[in-house]
Amino acid sequence: MKAIVLCAGYGTRLGDLTREIPKPMLPLGERPLVEYTVRHLVRQGFDSIAMNLHFMPDVIPAYFGDGARWGARLCYFPEVELLGTAGGVKNMADFVGDDAVLVHYGDVLTNQDFSP
């Protein structure tokens, strides 16, 4: 199953906290916020995850790499200009293809059951 995790924003409302790190990479306990999302998606059966990137676009791929450590294939879609939610998803049309896809924000924690 495929999921998109939106990670491109600046996180400006958090002020100094996100001046030098993308909001999804803010630490929460021992790991970055978005790692909880990736782990949850994998537990729910998602094995192919795409992330859009804009602010400090090298940070997230440097941490996650290809995703194998978490049991998923991760791919990244840098945005030269911020595209917004719908634009970010549209930019990943080749990743989505004709498949169903879950779209999740990279700065939201949930234990929601995503099973069909």
Side-chain angles (χ1 to χ4, degrees), residues 5-12 21-24 51-61 76-84 88 91-92:
V5 180
L6 300 171
C7 297
Y10 287 103
T12 55
I21 188 168
K23 184 166 58 169
M51 296 181 178
N52 68 334
L53 309 168
H54 178 73
F55 176 62
M56 299 185 74
D58 298 331
V59 173
I60 293 173
Y76 306 98
F77 291 81
E79 297 177 5
V80 175
E81 295 181 22
L82 280 175
L83 301 174
N91 190 47
M92 298 184 218

Side-chain angles (χ1 to χ4, degrees), residues 2-4 48-50 73 75 77 92-97 99 101:
K2 293 181 179 179
I4 290 173
S48 188
I49 301 170
R73 181 180 61 86
C75 54
F77 291 81
M92 298 184 218
D94 289 341
F95 168 79
V96 174
D99 299 324
V101 65

Side-chain angles (χ1 to χ4, degrees), residues 38 42 64-76:
V38 169
V42 169
F64 284 103
D66 66 3
R69 176 177 172 204
W70 289 270
R73 181 180 61 86
L74 270 61
C75 54
Y76 306 98

